[in-house]
Amino acid sequence: MVGGRVAAGAAALALLTACTAGQAGRAASPEKPESSGKPQAEPSLGPAGVMPREGEVGRITATGNLPAVISSIPTKRNVVFLTIDDGWEQDPGFVRQVRDQRIPITVFAMRDAVEAAGAPDPAGGVGKYVGAGKWGYFRELRDAGAPVENHTLTHPDLRRLGFDGQKREICGSSKVIAKEIGARPTLFRPPFGSYNTDTLRAAKACGIDRVLLWTATVQPGGKIAYQVADKQLRPGDILLMHFRPNLAADFRRLVKKIKRRGFELGNLQAYLDAATGARTP
């Protein structure tokens, strides 16, 4: 009996020693911090789109001290640039494409379109999301990486206005965008591509340093309407779209078409900076 008790005591002591060692081991291991339930910040991925290589981009010079007028980027690389005007149709599916696929676009917002003051051009078809998010929609585009630039307040033919009228349109738009988006525009796109010297003078007075035109337009269905005889994309082309019905579907078609033709989508801001000497890539 005594031997049995000794054996039992030894077994108990061994079990106690093992448990104590296990607890000590667990105490020595760092505990995982409890989750706060807050989403973790995504690591910065840098700007979307192809960036210019050193020495790739030719120089663009302005006339006198007025803003440069630019319709294409001087490069031999197969890269094109996507821009979208107005703001009538605010399809949330389009924002998701831009954000999730990191597609580089530059937006030229027109106040009356964004705020649905009036009616959109019926040529674009019947819209489903006209003015749906107003400026909140453009803040989402901003957060997806799209710069929001100036396209006037009411979309007039600026050549029909004097200097003061043009300045009201351009400066007024910049003021609204700065308030709603948090950044003052530095690019301006004149409605219809119509401008004169007063436009450039007014744009400069409103803090604009570059006036952007285009080389091809994108029609419903993602069809590209070229301004050149051979009907082909060319390196440095700037494409113009509008916030129209079916934008998300048309945009998907357009991006696939561009890539099938061997072109990349460029970061317009970076290329403009390289072309105008604002920075060295």
Side-chain angles (χ1 to χ4, degrees):
M1 286 295 292
V2 173
R5 286 197 295 270
V6 171
L13 179 60
L15 180 60
L16 177 62
T17 301
C19 289
T20 303
Q23 291 169 353
R26 287 194 296 272
S29 301
E31 294 184 1
K32 294 181 179 180
E34 294 183 4
S35 173
S36 65
K38 296 180 180 179
Q40 298 298 310
E42 292 287 339
S44 176
L45 299 175
V50 170
M51 303 295 283
R53 302 180 180 120
E54 184 174 357
E56 172 199 341
V57 185
R59 294 301 297 270
I60 294 173
T61 56
T63 301
N65 62 352
L66 296 176
V69 179
I70 302 166
S71 57
S72 65
I73 301 296
T75 177
K76 295 181 180 179
R77 187 177 181 181
N78 278 0
V79 58
V80 297
F81 307 91
L82 302 181
T83 65
I84 309 183
D85 283 10
D86 296 343
W88 294 106
E89 186 73 6
Q90 300 178 8
D91 184 347
F94 174 68
V95 178
R96 288 194 294 270
Q97 287 180 56
V98 171
R99 181 188 63 235
D100 297 347
Q101 299 177 34
R102 289 181 53 74
I103 299 175
I105 63 169
T106 300
V107 172
F108 290 88
M110 189 264 284
R111 182 202 61 187
D112 281 8
V114 175
E115 298 179 2
D121 182 353
V126 178
K128 181 179 180 183
Y129 301 105
V130 175
K134 300 196 184 308
W135 287 105
Y137 183 79
F138 283 80
R139 286 189 285 271
E140 291 180 12
L141 284 169
R142 172 204 64 194
D143 294 344
V148 179
E149 304 291 353
N150 189 322
H151 195 42
T152 72
L153 294 170
T154 67
H155 208 273
D157 180 343
L158 292 173
R159 289 184 300 184
R160 296 177 179 273
L161 303 178
F163 172 79
D164 290 340
Q166 295 197 43
K167 186 178 177 182
R168 280 193 297 271
E169 284 283 341
I170 300 171
C171 287
S173 176
S174 286
K175 183 177 180 180
V176 170
I177 291 170
K179 174 186 174 184
E180 298 290 349
I181 303 300
R184 194 172 182 86
T186 60
L187 302 182
F188 173 64
R189 171 164 281 160
F192 315 108
S194 175
Y195 71 96
N196 56 20
T197 302
D198 278 346
T199 311
L200 303 183
R201 290 176 54 232
K204 180 182 179 182
C206 299
I208 299 296
D209 54 30
R210 290 166 289 200
V211 173
L212 206 72
L213 303 179
W214 59 90
T215 49
T217 60
V218 181
Q219 305 301 318
K223 180 179 179 181
I224 301 174
Y226 301 94
Q227 296 180 354
V228 290
D230 59 6
K231 307 299 181 185
Q232 297 290 328
L233 285 177
R234 297 184 179 186
D237 274 353
I238 296 172
L239 276 62
L240 163 63
M241 301 184 73
H242 289 87
F243 286 92
R244 286 178 171 165
N246 304 311
L247 175 61
D250 288 353
F251 195 71
R252 279 194 297 272
R253 296 187 189 100
L254 175 67
V255 170
K256 289 178 180 178
K257 181 183 297 184
I258 289 170
K259 293 181 177 180
R260 280 199 309 269
R261 295 181 182 180
F263 284 79
E264 299 176 284
L265 300 175
N267 185 292
L268 178 60
Q269 302 290 325
Y271 270 82
L272 285 172
D273 286 347
T276 56
R279 70 169 179 82
T280 302

